[in-house]
Amino acid sequence: MAPRRTGPAAAWRRGARVSAASAARRRWAPRRLSGPALLAGLGALLLLTLLWAAGQGAYSLPLRALPGVLSGSTDASSGAGLVFFHIRLPRLVLGLVAGAGLGMAGALMQGLFRNPLADPGLIGVSSGAALAAGLTIVVGSLWFPDLPRALGSWTLVLMAFGGGLAVTVLIYLLSRGEGGTRVGLMLLAGIAVNALAGAGLGLLSFLATDEQLRNLQFWLLGSLGGARWSAVALVGSVTLIAGGAGLGLARALNALALGEAQAVLLGVPVERVKRIAIVVTALAVGAVTATTGIIGFIGLVAPHMVRLLGGPDHRWVLPGSALLGAVLVLLADAVARTLMQPAELPLGVLTAAVGVPFFLLLLRGAHGRRL
């Protein structure tokens, strides 16, 4: 083996090769969009996705028939009118608000943890909602016999929502220290509590009857099939409130990207920002998960793709993630209800099966290195 050359000339040649490789990567890297252009493009993409998804399903609605249905020239009591207004439209709106909530929550968590691989599930809201839903389905009639009579069809939704919030509060309290909330400790607490919730779900699956097990698995896999206007109103109002609060954190998250010490020097109330970000994420993801079940991966991939397209400024990342999250959920739902007609694929399975390989390829292409 030849000895490695040293000296000024060899160092200059190595530096030249590195500079040439860096220049080549910059030359082939996609040009980032400005913030307004990014939001305009994502808004147009969302509109096209809505139009396309409106016609997909076991009952196909041709695109040319949609203007008549929307304008009222087509009889609302006809087959097309009934399908669109009572089944397809609430499903589309629920997918839009659910995707927006998950995408924005993912952007908040990635900004808070200062890690593009962070996910809303790190704070336990999804696992807490799943555990509460499992308790309601398997032992709810024994432990809470009066709840179904009092809450009716809202029993599962409200229990899952409350469970998600309760687990998030627990993780937040466990991450508190003398110097405030520690993000690293929150991550470790989230991993531990998520594992405990998974063990609880495993025990409930073991104790459940066949019917209860089917209901639990159907809920855990996620679906927009149970969309109704009351659920749309719940998720939409919570997502709207959470989105407004989340957008107010954009500048603070930009400062946090420099580190907590630097953010404090810039006048950012770091602890208050952490609390608001956690509450906003818990509300948005809890409402979505309680209504649709677990839809994974949207909160991870949407913010990362937006940053690749438009840069790391949270003034554009937060609304862009909401728009792209809505696009991804609507696309996945349209494919889920058409791929194996008349059956419907679980939405959470589809988002993970398609999203994970795509995300890995996206990371490898963006960073020019093996994962």
Side-chain angles (χ1 to χ4, degrees):
M1 182 176 179
R4 184 178 181 181
R5 295 182 179 180
T6 58
W12 182 86
R13 284 193 293 271
R14 287 195 297 271
R17 285 195 297 269
V18 173
S19 299
S22 300
R25 285 196 296 268
R26 287 194 299 268
R27 185 163 54 250
W28 291 105
R31 181 175 297 179
R32 286 178 172 175
L33 301 173
S34 65
L38 174 67
L39 296 187
L42 291 176
L45 180 61
L46 177 58
L47 179 60
L48 293 175
T49 303
L50 279 169
L51 291 175
W52 177 76
Q56 306 304 310
Y59 188 100
S60 179
L61 292 174
L63 187 59
R64 62 179 179 274
L66 288 179
V69 174
L70 292 173
S71 63
S73 58
T74 300
D75 188 1
S77 62
S78 64
L82 289 173
V83 168
F84 182 78
F85 286 108
H86 294 281
I87 299 176
R88 196 66 52 78
L89 186 58
R91 186 166 185 153
L92 291 174
V93 179
L94 180 60
L96 190 154
V97 296
L102 293 174
M104 185 206 61
L108 283 174
M109 285 296 96
Q110 292 178 11
L112 180 63
F113 284 92
R114 301 192 296 278
N115 190 328
L117 299 180
D119 182 81
L122 291 175
I123 61 172
V125 59
S126 298
S127 60
L131 183 59
L135 288 171
T136 304
I137 293 172
V138 177
V139 298
S141 59
L142 297 176
W143 291 3
F144 316 106
D146 296 330
L147 277 181
R149 290 192 295 269
L151 302 177
S153 60
W154 285 97
T155 303
L156 182 61
V157 173
L158 295 179
M159 288 293 290
F161 185 62
L165 294 183
V167 172
T168 302
V169 171
L170 174 62
I171 292 176
Y172 176 77
L173 294 176
L174 291 174
S175 64
R176 295 283 295 174
E178 295 181 357
T181 306
R182 300 179 182 178
V183 174
L185 193 58
M186 184 184 299
L187 175 61
L188 295 176
I191 292 173
V193 173
N194 285 336
L196 183 61
L201 283 173
L203 178 61
L204 290 172
S205 299
F206 176 76
L207 297 175
T209 63
D210 290 342
E211 181 182 358
Q212 292 171 343
L213 184 59
R214 284 195 298 270
N215 293 335
L216 177 59
Q217 290 300 320
F218 180 79
W219 189 90
L220 291 175
L221 294 176
S223 174
L224 301 180
R228 49 184 177 168
W229 286 116
S230 55
V232 171
L234 170 66
V235 179
S237 58
V238 173
T239 300
L240 185 63
I241 295 172
L247 289 175
L249 300 178
R251 295 185 182 276
L253 291 175
N254 287 340
L256 268 177
L258 303 174
E260 292 189 13
Q262 287 78 4
V264 171
L265 292 177
L266 292 174
V268 175
V270 173
E271 286 302 313
R272 181 171 175 268
V273 170
K274 290 179 182 178
R275 286 194 297 269
I276 295 176
I278 292 171
V279 169
V280 167
T281 301
L283 288 175
V285 179
V288 172
T289 305
T291 307
T292 66
I294 297 178
I295 302 176
F297 215 68
I298 300 298
L300 178 63
V301 68
H304 189 81
M305 293 178 66
V306 169
R307 277 193 298 271
L308 289 178
L309 293 172
D313 191 342
H314 285 87
R315 292 176 300 171
W316 311 111
V317 169
L318 288 169
S321 299
L323 291 173
L324 186 56
V327 169
L328 294 177
V329 170
L330 289 172
L331 284 175
D333 180 61
V335 173
R337 65 176 185 262
T338 57
L339 195 60
M340 298 181 65
Q341 295 181 17
E344 181 178 319
L345 284 175
L347 184 57
V349 172
L350 186 63
T351 56
V354 176
V356 170
F358 176 76
F359 186 61
L360 293 177
L361 290 175
L362 186 67
L363 283 180
R364 180 172 179 176
H367 298 287
R369 65 172 183 269
R370 293 184 182 272
L371 293 176

